Amino acid sequence: MKCEIAKLKADIASLIERRNDSLQLNGSFQFLTSPRVWLIAAEYVHHFSSYILSTVEPVELLHQASKFLNTVMVSDVIIGSHFGIEAQLENWRLYAQFFDKIQLGLRSMHMSTTETLVACTCVSVTITNRTLQQGFPHLNSDGTGGTKGGVWSPVAVRMLDQKLIMCGTVKFGLDVMDKVTRVDFQADMMTPMTKLLHNLRTVSYAFTKARITPDFYIVRDVDI
């Protein structure tokens, strides 16, 4: 992991240097934010991916992620409609629960305001039996994801084992100390689902009562 972090630091330094060179050429040089903020965003993506892709009980990964989040975030960080670092960890647990594999790639980063860093991402997922059971239980005739021996609908059958590639963003709200005060994670699941199912009516049916929203947000039991 140390080698991966070192590479991230080098990549971020190179990205900042190229960005600043570009601003100088345009005659509008300004240092947008500290290198630490860019590194935080890159490490966030790294920890998220490592946790989701783990094939074993991620106790050590959870410890590393918790330590990282507690270092870079305020204690009452806003995570969607929830608060606190534990809410962020719970989000990661849910994605690991719903998907066998998620690949989250960092495409670019920019400051949308002086207090908001936007990381543009590419998210790749495969819809497996676990995804249908956890995220789309209503597509089974028993209404509970097949736990009572129901039959999957034709829509679910079409979705099974299909790979979705989504464009997404992670927005980091920052305070004056470069601590993360807010994280908004989203990805466009609507576009690949429309390509897969061919029409909006079928897509609407798939997402109705689903525990995954078209912007790739997982609905918790407490939110239902």
Side-chain angles (χ1 to χ4, degrees):
M1 181 173 177
K2 290 182 179 179
C3 292
E4 294 175 350
I5 296 301
K7 184 178 184 302
L8 280 174
K9 290 181 178 179
D11 290 344
I12 295 301
S14 176
L15 179 62
I16 293 173
E17 183 177 356
R18 291 199 304 270
R19 174 62 172 166
N20 288 340
D21 287 345
S22 175
L23 289 172
Q24 282 181 308
L25 289 174
N26 292 330
S28 58
F29 177 78
Q30 57 177 327
F31 194 69
L32 296 182
T33 188
S34 71
R36 177 177 180 274
V37 171
W38 297 73
L39 184 58
I40 286 173
E43 287 197 54
Y44 176 94
V45 171
H46 168 77
H47 281 286
F48 177 92
S49 299
S50 296
Y51 186 87
I52 297 297
L53 293 175
S54 175
T55 57
V56 297
E57 186 66 26
V59 176
E60 180 59 27
L61 289 175
L62 181 61
H63 172 73
Q64 293 174 0
S66 179
K67 182 178 179 181
F68 164 71
L69 295 176
N70 276 281
T71 299
V72 302
M73 295 180 173
V74 297
S75 60
D76 58 347
V77 60
I78 302 172
I79 308 295
S81 59
H82 301 274
F83 297 86
I85 291 170
E86 184 57 36
Q88 178 64 92
L89 292 171
E90 177 61 17
N91 273 4
W92 290 2
R93 292 190 194 99
L94 287 172
Y95 282 109
Q97 177 182 325
F98 277 50
F99 295 93
D100 294 294
K101 185 176 181 180
I102 296 180
Q103 292 181 320
L104 179 64
L106 184 60
R107 298 167 56 207
S108 64
M109 290 185 284
H110 67 275
M111 297 295 295
S112 62
T113 72
T114 57
E115 299 175 344
T116 305
L117 174 64
V118 180
C120 297
T121 61
C122 180
V123 185
S124 174
V125 301
T126 298
I127 299 176
T128 63
N129 278 315
R130 182 196 298 184
T131 308
L132 292 176
Q133 291 166 357
Q134 298 288 336
F136 301 90
H138 64 293
L139 297 182
N140 191 284
S141 60
D142 67 5
T144 59
T147 59
K148 299 178 181 178
V151 177
W152 287 104
S153 71
V155 173
V157 173
R158 288 166 62 184
M159 292 168 58
L160 182 62
D161 294 329
Q162 296 300 308
K163 184 176 183 179
L164 305 181
I165 298 177
M166 302 169 276
C167 293
T169 58
V170 186
K171 296 181 180 180
F172 300 91
L174 306 165
D175 65 14
V176 294
M177 300 299 292
D178 286 343
K179 281 272 193 175
V180 178
T181 60
R182 183 183 188 96
V183 178
D184 291 309
F185 173 81
Q186 69 87 31
D188 175 19
M189 196 175 185
M190 188 73 174
T191 297
M193 282 287 284
T194 302
K195 291 180 180 178
L196 173 63
L197 300 177
H198 303 304
N199 65 80
L200 292 176
R201 177 176 294 181
T202 306
V203 173
S204 176
Y205 167 69
F207 279 115
T208 299
K209 298 182 181 180
R211 294 191 62 198
I212 305 174
T213 68
D215 56 359
F216 203 53
Y217 175 78
I218 292 181
V219 181
R220 305 186 190 188
D221 291 335
V222 70
D223 296 327
I224 298 175

